[in-house]
Amino acid sequence: AAEPRTRPTRAHRTGSDWRHDTNLNQAYSNRKSVRETGTSSNFINANPTVVMLALGFLLLIGTTLIAEGFGAHVPKGYIYAAMAFSALIEGLNLLSRRAKRKREHPVPAKAREQSAE
């Protein structure tokens, strides 16, 4: 009787499979280095109110799902309107803080010319 075929282990792989693993490792390391430079993580660290807003959205959505699980109907328009209003106010707050920072710490004209080049 023929033996059942088993999947080859790492020791039995051919060179092409090892190249595939190497490419995955390189892709992971590239992704990791992009994450370390992290423009999004810098934004989150500089604006903790955005994190609180996101957590508020999650609580709102979770509460709505639980309420609907118990049979209460919550109109989605109210939920979306509340989220849009909150996001709009947070956007205005971000713009306001940026303008305030620019007023308090103006960039000299010489530095602006150098950064434009």
Side-chain angles (χ1 to χ4, degrees):
E3 292 183 28
R5 293 188 77 172
T6 59
R7 235 178 131 174
T9 61
R10 276 193 147 192
H12 296 100
R13 287 185 179 172
T14 62
S16 63
D17 290 329
W18 286 109
R19 260 188 292 131
H20 177 69
D21 287 347
T22 303
N23 289 340
L24 286 177
N25 290 336
Q26 288 171 350
Y28 175 75
S29 66
N30 289 341
R31 194 168 131 235
K32 185 177 174 185
S33 65
V34 167
R35 194 176 338 123
E36 289 170 354
T37 59
T39 56
S40 59
S41 64
N42 291 339
F43 177 78
I44 295 297
N45 290 335
N47 301 295
T49 56
V50 174
V51 175
M52 294 305 296
L53 182 65
L55 291 173
F57 287 170
L58 288 174
L59 283 172
L60 181 66
I61 292 168
T63 305
T64 304
L65 289 173
I66 289 171
E68 286 188 353
F70 283 115
H73 176 70
V74 181
K76 300 292 184 276
Y78 292 141
I79 302 298
Y80 295 143
M83 291 175 73
F85 179 75
S86 300
L88 174 70
I89 297 301
E90 183 60 30
L92 291 173
N93 283 335
L94 289 173
L95 290 173
S96 160
R97 277 187 238 130
R98 183 189 303 168
K100 183 178 178 183
R101 228 179 295 130
K102 284 184 178 181
R103 279 192 310 268
E104 291 174 355
H105 306 288
V107 178
K110 192 170 194 171
R112 274 185 295 206
E113 290 171 3
Q114 288 175 351
S115 67
E117 294 175 357

